[in-house]
């Protein structure tokens, strides 16, 4: 991951303005500590803070076409860049950077080339021949990007809000799967997959297609010229990423440079579910495993930094970002600059425990679509900014475009939790990798119950956060919250505490509008809260709020378990690995 900042069409093109752009770009240097670049053309500025992953020696940015009339600053990775170069043989490439293809694709295809890119990216491209420009963000929003407008008519783009919030009158999160065109005068969607309409698909489930497509997604993300590893919590998703990576590492270019010993990383409080499960999977796979411990107090001490870097006041995002932030610092200290991670699977397959209560396949599918569309505000934002805070890049194979298309075309009847058929959450994924002849994982890991990251690092982490917030936010403060914070009003002391920190760093109304709100239980959307009447009385993003589903559900709930007896027993068996 890198940091990009672009200011286009500003009235002032003085040395003072150039200095200001450099100062603002420096706010993104944590994302790219390896090189800083700036291109100025009349009243347009393109800045770049580089984290060198591919072609570290010559891939500095901004990047150009042959005569430097096209200038581009890019944050991300283009996994199919070699195939694209084959279609651009008439062009002369200056570097080995995977991102250089963007300048030449624009020369060949104009603005209609973005869908040709397979990767995670956010870029701004300036055509100096007519001073037109475009900006685009990847399909799901894995890579962050913000857009803002200055009083002087300038248009701003930045990887993080902190680089433009002070100088823009208005700004917002750049929507995923969109392109901004100065010629056409606004945003338009370039990513239009079949699932986006939320129409219920009917393709039969084929476990081999799911397995093969995911393996391809992992393989293409082994494109690196620097040391890398895998984040391994011991849950299904991260374990599959590690298992598939290990199977294909030996034949990869990365192995030829750095060896075939896979490094894995896990963080948690002492005795936490993730540490136990992570070590078990690492031992089974034979990885070089790094187990990192943190205390509740260390996490609390990092909260302000986390909110500054992640740029949110969403409760579940902050809970999960903090241990990831702490882990990324340790990872960087070991010389690792890139990690693979398991984000996205729960949204695609309905892996959150509240999906147990989905009333039918139509609502199940529509909820997965809503969750994927919102990923850029939650898990993608967390995974990217928590790691980028320390100059580490996170890659997410579950959010591969082709894999999403395959998984979201499956008839959702196959994804439904069906205890009568022995199907728990994410059964279609588990079954796809359930290979008795050549097992990827031990059975009890393959069928381990979903554990949200903020829970898996240790249940006392969330409890400690709540206790800390209770000491800093009085009952009166919470009672008056709607007057102090009329927009997206916090309803708990923990949410109030995070909001006060956020407002200190980002006081503008445009900043608070970038954070989503609404009721949620166990990470559900507001719509899914309607699936169970008891949930509206227990709105909390922790997986333990899925009353009657999670084996460690909050003890204060005394309601009768509404599940069939068989599901109760199956859930208890599935979670044996974490008890």
């Amino acid at each position: 991951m890198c940091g990009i900042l672009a200011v286009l069409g500003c009235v002032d093109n003085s040395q003072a303005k150039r200095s200001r752009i450099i100062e603002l770009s420096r706010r993104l240097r944590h994302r790219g500590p390896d090189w800083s670049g700036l291109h100025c053309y009349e009243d347009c500025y393109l800045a770049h803070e580089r984290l060198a992953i591919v072609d570290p020696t010559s891939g500095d940015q901004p990047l150009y076409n042959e005569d430097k009339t096209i200038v581009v600053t890019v944050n991300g990775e283009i996994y199919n860049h070699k195939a694209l170069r084959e279609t651009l043989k008439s062009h002369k490439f200056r570097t080995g950077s995977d991102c250089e293809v963007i300048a030449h694709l624009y020369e060949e295809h104009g603005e209609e080339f973005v869908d040709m890119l397979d990767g995670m990216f956010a870029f701004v491209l300036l055509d100096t021949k007519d001073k037109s420009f475009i900006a685009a963000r990847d399909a799901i929003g894995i890579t962050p990007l913000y857009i803002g407008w200055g009083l002087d008519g300038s248009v701003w783009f930045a990887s993080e809000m902190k680089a433009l919030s002070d100088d823009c009158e208005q700004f917002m999160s750049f929507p995923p799967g969109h392109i901004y065109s100065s010629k056409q005068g606004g945003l338009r969607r370039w990513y239009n997959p079949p699932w986006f309409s939320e129409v219920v698909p009917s393709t039969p489930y084929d476990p081999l297609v799911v397995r093969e497509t995911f393996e391809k997604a992992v393989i293409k993300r082994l494109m690196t010229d620097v040391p890398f590893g895998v984040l391994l919590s011991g849950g299904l998703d991260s374990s599959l990423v590690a298992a598939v990576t290990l199977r294909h590492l030996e034949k990869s270019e990365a192995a030829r440079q750095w060896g075939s010993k896979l490094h894995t990383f896990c963080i948690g409080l002492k005795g936490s579910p993730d540490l136990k499960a992570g070590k078990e999977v690492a031992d089974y796979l034979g990885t070089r495993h790094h187990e990192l411990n943190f205390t509740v107090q260390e996490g609390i001490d990092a909260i302000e930094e986390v909110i500054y870097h992640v740029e949110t006041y969403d409760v579940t995002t902050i809970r999960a970002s903090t241990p990831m932030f702490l882990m990324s610092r340790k990872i960087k200290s070991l010389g690792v600059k890139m990690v693979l991670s398991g984000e996205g699977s729960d949204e695609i397959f309905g892996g959150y425990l509240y999906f147990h209560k989905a009333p039918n396949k139509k609502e199940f599918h529509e909820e997965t679509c809503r969750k994927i569309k919102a990923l850029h505000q939650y898990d993608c934002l967390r995974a990217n900014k928590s790691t980028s805070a320390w100059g580490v890049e996170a890659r997410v194979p579950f959010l591969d475009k082709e894999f999403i298309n395959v998984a979201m075309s499956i008839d959702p009847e196959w994804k439904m939790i069906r205890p009568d058929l022995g199907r728990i959450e994410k059964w279609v994924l588990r079954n796809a990798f359930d290979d008795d002849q050549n097992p990827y994982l031990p059975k009890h890991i393959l069928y381990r119950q979903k554990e949200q990251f903020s829970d898996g690092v240790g249940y006392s982490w969330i409890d400690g956060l709540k206790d800390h917030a209770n000491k800093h936010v009085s009952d009166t403060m919470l009672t008056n919250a709607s007057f102090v914070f009329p927009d997206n009003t916090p309803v708990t002391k923990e949410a109030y505490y995070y909001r006060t920190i956020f407002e200190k760093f980002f006081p503008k109304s445009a900043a608070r509008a970038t954070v989503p709100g609404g009721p949620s239980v166990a990470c559900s959307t507001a719509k899914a809260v309607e699936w169970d009447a008891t949930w509206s009385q227990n709105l909390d993003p922790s997986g333990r709020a899925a009353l009657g589903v999670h084996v460690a559900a909050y003890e204060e709930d005394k309601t009768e378990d509404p599940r069939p007896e068989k599901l109760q027993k199956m859930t208890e068996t599935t979670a044996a690995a974490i008890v």
Side-chain angles (χ1 to χ4, degrees):
M1 282 292 106
C2 304
I4 65 173
L5 173 64
V7 185
L8 303 123
C10 54
V11 173
D12 181 6
N13 62 354
S14 65
Q15 180 60 41
K17 187 66 174 182
R18 179 189 177 97
S19 298
R20 177 60 175 166
I21 299 299
I22 293 172
E23 177 189 349
L24 294 173
S25 182
R26 196 174 292 126
R27 295 183 183 182
L28 303 173
R29 191 155 295 169
H30 54 275
R31 300 184 61 87
D34 297 333
W35 184 260
S36 299
L38 175 65
H39 180 91
C40 307
Y41 180 79
E42 297 182 1
D43 57 358
C44 299
Y45 302 83
L46 277 73
H48 191 267
E49 303 291 341
R50 188 183 185 206
L51 178 67
I53 302 290
V54 176
D55 186 24
T57 56
S58 69
D60 297 335
Q61 296 195 37
L63 297 163
Y64 306 91
N65 66 338
E66 291 88 341
D67 62 5
K68 292 194 173 184
T69 56
I70 308 297
V71 190
V72 61
T73 180
V74 191
N75 173 23
E77 307 292 342
I78 309 302
Y79 302 122
N80 64 336
H81 75 104
K82 290 184 177 179
L84 291 172
R85 282 176 182 245
E86 289 298 308
T87 70
L88 298 165
K89 288 189 174 180
S90 62
H91 292 264
K92 181 180 179 180
F93 285 79
R94 297 170 176 273
T95 74
S97 169
D98 53 295
C99 296
E100 191 178 347
V101 293
I102 292 174
H104 302 295
L105 287 170
Y106 173 80
E107 287 185 290
E108 290 289 328
H109 304 282
E111 297 180 355
E112 306 305 321
F113 71 89
V114 183
D115 198 30
M116 299 169 67
L117 302 175
D118 182 7
M120 55 178 186
F121 56 83
F123 69 82
V124 180
L125 181 150
L126 172 65
D127 186 341
T128 63
K129 294 188 292 293
D130 59 7
K131 283 184 64 177
S132 64
F133 60 89
I134 61 173
R137 190 178 183 187
D138 66 62
I140 305 300
I142 301 166
T143 306
L145 186 64
Y146 294 83
I147 180 172
W149 296 268
L151 284 173
D152 60 356
S154 57
V155 183
W156 294 58
F157 301 94
S159 295
E160 294 183 5
M161 189 163 55
K162 59 181 64 68
L164 55 69
S165 58
D166 291 345
D167 292 64
C168 290
E169 189 67 15
Q170 289 293 333
F171 52 89
M172 68 178 194
S173 176
F174 193 102
H178 279 71
I179 180 172
Y180 181 94
S181 167
S182 65
K183 288 181 179 178
Q184 299 193 22
L187 289 157
R188 68 180 186 274
R189 172 169 283 281
W190 65 263
Y191 179 58
N192 295 288
W195 63 266
F196 208 83
S197 67
E198 302 186 9
V199 174
V200 178
S202 57
T203 304
Y205 166 57
D206 186 332
L208 287 181
V209 171
V210 172
R211 182 196 297 183
E212 291 169 2
T213 309
F214 181 68
E215 291 201 333
K216 289 179 183 176
V218 172
I219 291 168
K220 70 178 69 170
R221 283 161 179 78
L222 300 183
M223 177 186 80
T224 178
D225 294 324
V226 299
F228 79 101
V230 174
L231 304 185
L232 178 61
S233 69
L236 173 69
D237 305 329
S238 65
S239 298
L240 283 179
V241 172
V244 173
T245 299
L246 192 63
R247 288 200 176 194
H248 298 281
L249 179 59
E250 190 172 349
K251 297 179 180 179
S252 70
E253 291 183 16
R256 285 192 283 274
Q257 292 189 70
W258 306 105
S260 57
K261 191 68 173 179
L262 181 63
H263 288 252
T264 52
F265 304 90
C266 185
I267 190 168
L269 306 177
K270 285 188 177 179
S272 68
D274 279 1
L275 290 181
K276 179 182 177 182
K279 184 178 186 306
E280 184 177 6
V281 175
D283 289 345
Y284 176 81
L285 296 175
T287 70
R288 174 72 174 87
H289 193 56
H290 306 267
E291 192 173 279
L292 310 171
N293 292 304
F294 79 106
T295 66
V296 172
Q297 188 58 54
E298 286 171 337
I300 289 171
D301 290 342
I303 289 292
E304 285 210 13
E305 272 190 284
V306 168
I307 292 174
Y308 173 75
H309 280 287
V310 181
E311 301 180 323
T312 188
Y313 51 84
D314 175 68
V315 170
T316 187
T317 303
I318 294 168
R319 288 176 176 179
S321 293
T322 305
M324 198 169 193
F325 173 86
L326 296 172
M327 176 168 56
S328 298
R329 187 175 191 178
K330 289 283 190 180
I331 289 172
K332 185 60 182 287
S333 72
L334 294 172
V336 172
K337 296 173 73 173
M338 186 273 281
V339 292
L340 272 64
S341 192
E343 279 76 15
S345 172
D346 291 312
E347 288 73 16
I348 295 168
F349 294 104
Y352 293 106
L353 297 185
Y354 72 88
F355 276 95
H356 280 253
K357 302 294 184 74
N360 53 61
K361 71 176 186 179
K362 180 177 183 293
E363 291 205 39
F364 188 106
H365 179 71
E366 290 173 350
E367 175 69 0
T368 59
C369 292
R370 288 190 293 267
K371 290 292 291 180
I372 295 172
K373 291 175 183 178
L375 267 169
H376 68 288
Q377 298 174 303
Y378 297 102
D379 286 25
C380 287
L381 179 143
R382 166 183 56 78
N384 181 282
K385 293 183 180 178
S386 296
T387 54
S388 293
W390 298 106
V392 176
E393 176 176 284
R395 298 181 181 177
V396 283
F398 280 109
L399 296 181
D400 179 81
K401 274 200 302 184
E402 183 183 356
F403 181 73
I404 292 175
N405 287 340
V406 166
M408 293 303 289
S409 70
I410 299 170
D411 186 334
E413 184 65 41
W414 288 93
K415 296 181 183 179
M416 293 279 288
I417 289 86
R418 290 287 303 275
D420 56 317
L421 299 176
R423 296 181 191 166
I424 63 171
E425 68 276 354
K426 291 192 289 192
W427 178 85
V428 294
L429 180 62
R430 301 174 195 272
N431 181 68
F433 287 90
D434 193 348
D435 187 342
D436 290 331
Q437 299 302 314
N438 190 16
Y440 287 78
L441 295 167
K443 290 277 189 182
H444 63 279
I445 292 292
L446 195 60
Y447 290 94
R448 180 192 183 200
Q449 185 185 56
K450 164 66 184 172
E451 195 72 80
Q452 287 165 211
F453 184 52
S454 55
D455 287 331
V457 296
Y459 295 140
S460 59
W461 165 234
I462 291 176
D463 297 336
L465 286 172
K466 290 181 176 181
D467 291 342
H468 181 73
N470 287 338
K471 295 174 183 176
H472 288 79
V473 180
S474 67
D475 293 341
T476 302
M477 291 165 70
L478 189 61
T479 300
N480 294 327
S482 61
F483 300 105
V484 179
F485 304 117
D487 300 318
N488 219 351
T489 304
V491 295
T492 67
K493 291 184 177 181
E494 185 183 5
Y496 192 106
Y497 178 67
Y498 298 153
R499 183 64 172 274
T500 57
I501 297 172
F502 178 88
E503 295 277 344
K504 180 173 66 174
F505 294 126
F506 308 105
K508 291 186 177 180
S509 59
R512 66 183 71 105
T514 64
V515 182
S520 175
V521 61
C523 288
S524 75
T525 66
K527 178 66 177 175
V529 173
E530 300 172 8
W531 292 350
D532 190 306
T534 63
W535 286 351
S536 62
Q537 306 302 316
N538 193 55
L539 297 174
D540 190 286
S542 168
R544 289 182 290 163
L547 303 176
V549 177
H550 196 293
V551 292
Y554 288 130
E555 295 179 0
E556 59 264 28
D557 176 68
K558 303 299 181 183
T559 57
E560 183 178 342
D561 190 335
R563 297 171 298 151
E565 182 179 355
K566 187 174 182 179
L567 176 57
Q568 296 178 37
K569 292 180 179 178
M570 186 180 72
T571 305
E572 292 165 3
T573 302
T574 306
I578 66 169
V579 175

